[in-house]
Amino acid sequence: MESSLADFSQKFTNRFTHRFIMQPTILLPKHWDYPRFIFGQRTQQGVILGLEYYPADTQLAYQYSHGWRYALMPNKQSEDIFHYQESQLKPFSTQELLAQITAELEQHQQQIMILQQQLAAVTGGNNG
């Protein structure tokens, strides 16, 4: 009985440690607003790569207004990064996101099929 309790305790500790301590965490000061958008989120302006917060009563807030600013890449082939205030970003609707992601999946599936055909040609159909 003792060993099963010890085993349970060890498994619980491992799961707890892995699940909660290993998760990435970002802490914000209590007087900051939470950002409306997250890393990697697709918006009509592009994909969010970075966030910056300009606290009130700072030179940056005076110049650009206080709050969150986002760095976005307009598309995967772009070398440009653009910065937007939170109020300037427009999220996609669920339907728009679904259509965009579905189209991207179809492109990747076509590319996988092409690569599988090329692999079969190289290996003579013996790719195992």
Side-chain angles (χ1 to χ4, degrees), residues 76-126:
K76 291 181 181 182
Q77 287 71 39
S78 178
E79 293 182 11
D80 298 322
I81 303 293
F82 297 97
H83 294 85
Y84 294 90
Q85 293 176 351
E86 193 168 69
S87 61
Q88 295 174 305
L89 294 179
K90 304 213 179 340
F92 284 114
S93 69
T94 302
Q95 295 81 9
E96 290 169 321
L97 271 176
L98 181 62
Q100 191 179 77
I101 293 169
T102 301
E104 200 170 319
L105 274 171
E106 288 172 2
Q107 288 174 348
H108 287 294
Q109 287 170 342
Q110 288 175 358
Q111 185 64 33
I112 288 169
M113 285 179 17
I114 291 167
L115 291 171
Q116 287 172 333
Q117 290 170 355
Q118 291 173 357
L119 181 60
V122 169
T123 62
N126 204 4

Side-chain angles (χ1 to χ4, degrees), residues 15-83:
R15 285 186 184 154
F16 179 80
T17 301
H18 176 71
R19 186 169 182 185
F20 296 102
I21 296 179
M22 303 305 286
Q23 295 294 324
T25 303
I26 297 173
L27 299 174
L28 301 176
K30 290 182 181 184
H31 60 281
W32 287 16
D33 295 328
Y34 280 95
R36 190 170 146 221
F37 301 95
I38 60 172
F39 289 110
Q41 183 173 351
R42 299 169 189 231
T43 69
Q44 292 181 14
Q45 290 76 18
V47 176
I48 296 176
L49 301 178
L51 291 85
E52 291 182 298
Y53 187 78
Y54 294 173
D57 300 327
T58 64
Q59 180 61 34
L60 289 171
Y62 176 75
Q63 189 172 354
Y64 298 105
S65 85
H66 82 284
W68 289 100
R69 288 184 57 85
Y70 297 82
L72 284 85
M73 182 171 54
N75 60 59
K76 291 181 181 182
Q77 287 71 39
S78 178
E79 293 182 11
D80 298 322
I81 303 293
F82 297 97
H83 294 85

